[in-house]
Every structure is written in structure tokens, then in C-alpha cells.
């Protein structure tokens, strides 16, 4: 494909990310491709995704250099501009990034020569009873010592508003939307609605709605299920609820999930992909649902999600399972599938391919 402009999202605190960014800039200069640094998490005022991509000249490829957090920032920009996003892996426990840093030039060549696949990842968007914003006197409390906060999400003027449906917000979440308590000594009380019907009223530390991509992030840490990123659905998970029913619920992609702060609850913070974007009062609500747009993630080959799960989570085999025989083979299938199984995602054992250089 023709790459006209690259946007760089760099984890400036890592020397290897800075070095990899230099390699990207050199490649762009050699191929007459414009390149701009955006959303680099420096001190100072932060801007909306629309302002950032506009300032960068509307890049058609976003390259992130860092871990999953850096990728999430790049995904926010790519989703806003319907651009491709390529994640260069410099993290520790990442599920999102794709390319090792030494192979970044080869990866850019693969994009230019169309030797890639584009993986469409589900995104979340939302409506709310009111605009999301953090009161000025609460910013120091909710930003957890991190850098400057993002501005409040803008209202989507092209969408109908009012009545029972609130206002549509320009939000795109790749991992999750979280409603969480603001103070340690008080949980939030929230009514949870699935597909327009009350499921239950929860008292909990937090309640989150995740995508399949986000199932290995906060939702996993809270006891939620691991879901293939190829799946479609919304994963609701309560965090430390004071009730017997503490399980996750997986809803269909067309079933919205609404969270209403109840009358006697304290205030609650709304976080989108880990960024606090607003504070709700009792009576306020948010509705989370699948966005019509998908994130376009660059893949250089088939993604071995379950292999990465085994590796990144450091899964080990139960000693009792191995006590009486050999270990289970890592790749039990080595031949092409028969005709009646050809439609299934059952890759054969990978051949040792030459590394990207």
C-alpha cells in the first residue's frame, strides 16, 4: 500500500524506543514519506485525538514504539483517523504489539509492499447522561500522579441526543471502559443494565466493560475470562463486589451495557483505556456499546494468540498431568486439515521462518 505519512507514538522514557524511532525516521526520509511525532506524553497540555492527528497531517499509518500502554495511545489516534496502526514491541507483558524493535525497518517495507494482513479489532464507544469532565478541584486526585489529563470527550454532533438516550460521546476504547470508586473507604453503588434490562445493583470497587482485546488487561486481573481477540462481544466484570454473584457476563456485540450510579452512592470516575475522562454523580449513567468502526491493526503473519497467552502469562503444566507420561506436544497438528475442517482456524505447526531483518 502507499504510505504517505507516518505518525510516531514513542515511549520517550525508554532508550530503545528512542533508537527505534530514529530508524523509522530514517526509513521515512529514504522513501520520501512524511513523518511526525504525536502524543509523546511530554509535560504540558494534552489534546484530543482529532487535534493530534490534524497537527500531524492526517497520518495513514501510526507506528507505536513501547509497550501496550503506548499502543493504546496510538490506537486512540488511529481509530480517530481510520488509519493503520503498527505496534513495535518494547514492553514487558504485551498482547497488542507485533514487531520486535530490530525489525522495524523490515516491517515498514512489508507494509509498503503489501505483505501484511489487517486485523480488525472491536472498539467500544459510549453515550452518557451528561458530558464527561473532571472538576478542576479533583484533577490531582484522579490522575494518579501521571502526566497531563486528556481533555473531556467531545459530543458527537451528528448523533441524535436527548430523552432516555443521553448524548453520544466521541470515545473509542480498545481495551475497556471502567466505572470506579473515588475514595478508598467507600464503594460505588451501580445499577447494571444489559440490553436495556436490569441485571443487578452492585456495590463494588469498580465495574468494567471490556472488549475481547481487553480481556487480558484489567478484566483478567479482576477475574474475568480470557477471550480470543477474534471474537465479538462485550465482557462485563465487577471488581471486588459485595455480593454473592461475582461472575463476569459476556454479552453479544449488539447488546449494550449501561451503568447507572445509584442515589446513595459516592461519586465515580470513568476511565477509558486507563485514562480518567470524567466524574459521575449519583443519578448519572453511561451506556457502553460496540462502535461501528474497527481498529485496523497491522499483522505480518498469523497471530498466535494462545501461544502468546502461554508465554506472557508464564503458564506451566500441572505436575500431576505430567507425572505418568510425556508432556503434551506444543503443536499436535502437523498436516493440513481434511476438507470438513478446512473452514476452522487450525494452523499446522509453523516452519522455522527466517527472522525479519
Amino acid at each position: 500500500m502507499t504510505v504517505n505519512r507516518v505518525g510516531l507514538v514513542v515511549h520517550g522514557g525508554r532508550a530503545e524506543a528512542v533508537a527505534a524511532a530514529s530508524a523509522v525516521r530514517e526509513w521515512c526520509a529514504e522513501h520520501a514519506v512524511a513523518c511526525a511525532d504525536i502524543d509523546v506524553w511530554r509535560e504540558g497540555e494534552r489534546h484530543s485525538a482529532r487535534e493530534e492527528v490534524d497537527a500531524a497531517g492526517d497520518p495513514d499509518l501510526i507506528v507505536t514504539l513501547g509497550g501496550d500502554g503506548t499502543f493504546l495511545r496510538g490506537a486512540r489516534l488511529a481509530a480517530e483517523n481510520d488509519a493503520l496502526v503498527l505496534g513495535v514491541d518494547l514492553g514487558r507483558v504485551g498482547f497488542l504489539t507485533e514487531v520486535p524493535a530490530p525489525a522495524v525497518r523490515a516491517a515498514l517495507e512489508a507494509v509498503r509492499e503489501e505483505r501484511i494482513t489487517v486485523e480488525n479489532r472491536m472498539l467500544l464507544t459510549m453515550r452518557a447522561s451528561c458530558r464527561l469532565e473532571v472538576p478542576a478541584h479533583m484533577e490531582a486526585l484522579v490522575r494518579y500522579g501521571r502526566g497531563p489529563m486528556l481533555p473531556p470527550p467531545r459530543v458527537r454532533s451528528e448523533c441524535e441526543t436527548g430523552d432516555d438516550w443521553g448524548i453520544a460521546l466521541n470515545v473509542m476504547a480498545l481495551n475497556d471502559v471502567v466505572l470506579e470508586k473515588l475514595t478508598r473507604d467507600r464503594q460505588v453503588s451501580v445499577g447494571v443494565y444489559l440490553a436495556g434490562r436490569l441485571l443487578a445493583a452492585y456495590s463494588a470497587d469498580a465495574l468494567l466493560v471490556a472488549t475481547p482485546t481487553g480481556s487480558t488487561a484489567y478484566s483478567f486481573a479482576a477475574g474475568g475470562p480470557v477471550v480470543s481477540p477474534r471474537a465479538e462481544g462485550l465482557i462485563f466484570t465487577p471488581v471486588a463486589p459485595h455480593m454473592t454473584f461475582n461472575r463476569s457476563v459476556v454479552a453479544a456485540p449488539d447488546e449494550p451495557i449501561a451503568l447507572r450510579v445509584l442515589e446513595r452512592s459516592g461519586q465515580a470516575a470513568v476511565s477509558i483505556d486507563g485514562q480518567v475522562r470524567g466524574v459521575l454523580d449519583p443519578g448519572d449513567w453511561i451506556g457502553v456499546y460496540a462502535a461501528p468502526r474497527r481498529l485496523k491493526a497491522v499483522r505480518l503473519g498469523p497471530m498466535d494468540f494462545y501461544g502468546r497467552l502461554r508465554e506472557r502469562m508464564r503458564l506451566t503444566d500441572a505436575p500431576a498431568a505430567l507425572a505418568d507420561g510425556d508432556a503434551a506436544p506444543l503443536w499436535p497438528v502437523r498436516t493440513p486439515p481434511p476438507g470438513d475442517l478446512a473452514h476452522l482456524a487450525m494452523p499446522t505447526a509453523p516452519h522455522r521462518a527466517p527472522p525479519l531483518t
Side-chain angles (χ1 to χ4, degrees):
M1 63 169 291
T2 301
V3 178
N4 295 312
R5 182 175 290 270
V6 170
L8 273 179
V9 182
V10 185
H11 190 307
R14 294 192 178 179
E16 60 268 40
V18 174
S22 296
V24 174
R25 295 187 192 99
E26 291 173 2
W27 182 91
C28 289
E30 292 169 8
H31 294 84
V33 174
C35 184
D37 285 78
I38 49 180
D39 190 31
V40 291
W41 201 257
R42 293 173 181 160
E43 291 297 326
E45 185 180 359
R46 298 193 68 195
H47 303 282
S48 69
R50 184 71 266 161
E51 291 170 330
E52 287 174 336
V53 295
D54 284 347
D58 290 325
D60 42 30
L61 174 66
I62 303 292
V63 178
T64 72
L65 301 116
D68 279 2
T70 308
F71 186 90
L72 287 173
R73 294 197 288 275
R76 181 176 64 90
L77 304 171
E80 178 69 27
N81 218 38
D82 201 27
L84 296 176
V85 58
L86 171 67
V88 178
D89 186 11
L90 294 160
R92 298 182 179 90
V93 193
F95 279 86
L96 301 174
T97 49
E98 167 77 357
V99 177
V104 64
R105 287 180 62 94
L108 292 169
E109 287 290 345
V111 173
R112 188 171 69 93
E113 297 171 5
E114 299 185 355
R115 294 183 285 107
I116 62 169
T117 57
V118 177
E119 186 177 71
N120 293 309
R121 292 286 184 99
M122 180 180 175
L123 296 165
L124 300 176
T125 190
M126 61 189 297
R127 282 181 172 249
S129 57
C130 57
R131 295 196 64 168
L132 287 184
E133 58 183 6
V134 177
H137 69 280
M138 299 182 69
E139 286 191 9
L141 171 67
V142 301
R143 74 189 221 183
Y144 306 128
R146 297 185 177 182
M149 298 184 66
L150 287 167
R154 66 175 176 83
V155 176
R156 295 174 58 193
S157 58
E158 72 276 14
C159 298
E160 296 181 21
T161 62
D163 298 325
D164 295 326
W165 303 101
I167 56 178
L169 299 176
N170 187 48
V171 164
M172 292 289 174
L174 177 61
N175 266 359
D176 49 44
V177 175
V178 180
L179 191 65
E180 57 190 324
K181 68 180 185 179
L182 277 174
T183 59
R184 186 174 182 180
D185 63 345
R186 185 172 186 179
Q187 293 189 311
V188 289
S189 297
V190 178
V192 177
Y193 297 80
L194 269 72
R197 183 180 179 86
L198 179 67
L199 173 69
Y202 288 78
S203 178
D205 283 357
L207 302 112
L208 63 91
V209 181
T211 65
T213 295
S215 71
T216 52
Y218 190 4
S219 179
F220 175 82
V226 174
V227 180
S228 168
R230 298 179 62 210
E232 294 275 305
L234 282 71
I235 306 155
F236 164 72
T237 301
V239 181
H242 274 211
M243 60 191 299
T244 303
F245 185 75
N246 61 357
R247 299 291 192 265
S248 297
V249 177
V250 180
D254 61 350
E255 295 177 331
I257 299 178
L259 309 174
R260 181 184 294 273
V261 184
L262 300 181
E263 179 184 358
R264 297 185 181 277
S265 173
Q267 292 177 307
V270 179
S271 296
I272 300 167
D273 279 348
Q275 301 285 314
V276 177
R277 305 299 300 276
V279 174
L280 298 185
D281 293 316
D284 293 336
W285 58 264
I286 57 173
V288 183
Y289 54 99
R293 182 176 293 177
R294 296 292 186 266
L295 182 73
K296 298 176 179 178
V298 172
R299 296 297 176 202
L300 303 182
M303 182 181 178
D304 180 16
F305 171 72
Y306 301 106
R308 184 169 293 189
L309 178 68
R310 179 180 174 90
E311 172 191 342
R312 296 298 170 94
M313 296 300 178
R314 299 183 180 180
L315 300 184
T316 56
D317 304 313
L322 306 178
D324 298 322
D326 296 330
L330 192 59
W331 291 91
V333 177
R334 296 185 175 277
T335 57
D340 62 314
L341 302 180
H343 64 292
L344 301 180
M346 290 287 293
T348 57
H351 299 289
R352 185 175 296 277
L356 288 169
T357 57

